[in-house]
Amino acid sequence: MHFCMTGQYTPKSLNSIMENPKTNRYEAAKTLIEAAGGKLVSMYSTAAEGPGVLVIFDVPDPSAAPAISGTVVASGAIHHVNLMRLWTQDEIMQVRQKAIELRGKYVPPGG
């Protein structure tokens, strides 16, 4: 299952990065994700809401994704984190098929 995690670096992390601008955050992310049984798909730096990061990763166990983000947040490296499940086109086709099966099974309030 694919996930996208975004977050902004904390001031402490930014200071550490500025002191060592060649630090390899990609390798750090890859090591953590692989330890959780996953694969790092891609990683980007962001600047829209402050210096931050966007990481896309694939894990077979969905509980690994919040464990990964929680580990990084608890370390104090990033804050303002958003974790989002991504769906491949094949997966979304299955979701649509299930929605068709469920159509008419739910009664909304007042319905």
Side-chain angles (χ1 to χ4, degrees), residues 2 17 20 22 34 46-47 57 60-62 64 87 90 94 105 107 110:
H2 288 83
I17 290 168
N20 183 8
K22 293 186 179 186
E34 288 178 353
T46 63
F57 60 95
D61 175 5
W87 303 85
D90 288 340
Q94 292 174 1
K105 304 288 190 223
V107 178

Side-chain angles (χ1 to χ4, degrees), residues 9-102:
Y9 288 112
T10 61
K12 181 180 177 184
S13 289
L14 286 173
N15 282 323
S16 293
I17 290 168
M18 289 172 66
E19 290 170 7
N20 183 8
K22 293 186 179 186
T23 184
N24 193 333
R25 304 318 307 151
Y26 181 91
E27 286 301 322
K30 182 179 174 189
T31 298
L32 175 61
I33 292 164
E34 288 178 353
K39 177 184 174 194
L40 176 58
V41 175
S42 59
M43 182 172 172
Y44 302 93
S45 294
T46 63
E49 296 177 11
V53 64
L54 180 149
V55 180
I56 298 173
F57 60 95
D58 186 15
V59 288
D61 175 5
S63 69
I68 290 167
S69 66
T71 298
V72 177
V73 171
S75 77
I78 60 174
H79 57 171
H80 306 298
V81 173
N82 183 30
L83 180 65
M84 178 185 345
R85 168 77 158 90
L86 303 175
W87 303 85
T88 66
Q89 290 306 297
D90 288 340
E91 290 169 330
I92 208 66
M93 293 295 279
Q94 292 174 1
V95 170
R96 291 175 185 157
Q97 205 53 40
K98 182 56 77 176
I100 290 168
E101 292 173 22
L102 296 174

